[in-house]
Amino acid sequence: MSKYVYPAIFTSEPDGGYSVYFPDLEGCYTCGDTLADALFMAEDALALILYGYEKDQLPIPQPSKMSDIIVTADSFLSMVACDTLEYRKRFNNKAVKKTLTIPEWLNEAAVAMNINFSQVLQDALLQRISPQ
């Protein structure tokens, strides 16, 4: 899980929209009705495909240098950034049941204080995995 930046080729379409292609990531295409929409969709497509690479434990391709990419007259090159951890938080938020073991005295004290065990565990895990 990480932050990534990749070059994308934005091409203006005859209907006024834009298509977007990431030359370093096979099958990573999207489009938008406006330039702003195309950029938003490009960030989403990039996060989705890289999330898939991470989930499948595939090597993440290195992004090309912008100077190595050739574009046509109706296209331009732009860097697009994404954060796959934020993408996971937004779209992979299904609750998963976990069983844990704690000392009985700790359980009794926490129950007496009306502590939500799930929330405490989520908070602790987020603190542990978040970059410092």
Side-chain angles (χ1 to χ4, degrees):
M1 295 178 267
S2 189
K3 295 181 182 183
Y4 300 95
V5 179
Y6 276 83
I9 299 172
F10 289 73
T11 304
S12 58
E13 297 295 331
D15 66 357
Y18 291 86
S19 61
V20 184
Y21 164 64
F22 290 87
D24 299 312
L25 301 165
E26 186 176 334
C28 192
Y29 298 90
T30 192
C31 62
D33 293 333
T34 65
L35 184 54
D37 187 41
L39 181 57
F40 175 81
M41 296 300 290
E43 292 172 17
D44 190 62
L46 181 61
L48 174 63
I49 200 153
L50 291 175
Y51 164 69
Y53 275 80
E54 291 173 349
K55 190 172 181 182
D56 296 339
Q57 298 181 344
L58 297 171
I60 306 291
Q62 289 295 315
S64 296
K65 294 178 183 175
M66 288 183 73
S67 59
D68 293 341
I69 299 173
I70 299 170
V71 296
T72 61
D74 60 345
S75 300
F76 67 91
L77 191 60
S78 179
M79 298 302 281
V80 176
C82 75
D83 183 337
T84 55
L85 178 57
E86 288 303 315
Y87 187 86
R88 286 173 191 265
K89 288 178 185 177
R90 213 172 38 234
F91 295 105
N92 193 14
N93 208 11
K94 180 179 78 169
V96 178
K97 185 176 176 87
K98 291 290 178 190
T99 303
L100 64 120
T101 305
I102 60 173
E104 185 175 5
W105 68 266
L106 186 57
N107 180 63
E108 291 170 354
V111 168
M113 295 177 67
N114 227 10
I115 292 176
N116 180 324
F117 287 85
S118 292
Q119 190 62 55
V120 169
L121 178 58
Q122 287 179 51
D123 293 344
L125 288 171
L126 283 170
Q127 186 177 18
R128 179 65 68 95
I129 65 171
S130 294
Q132 299 299 326

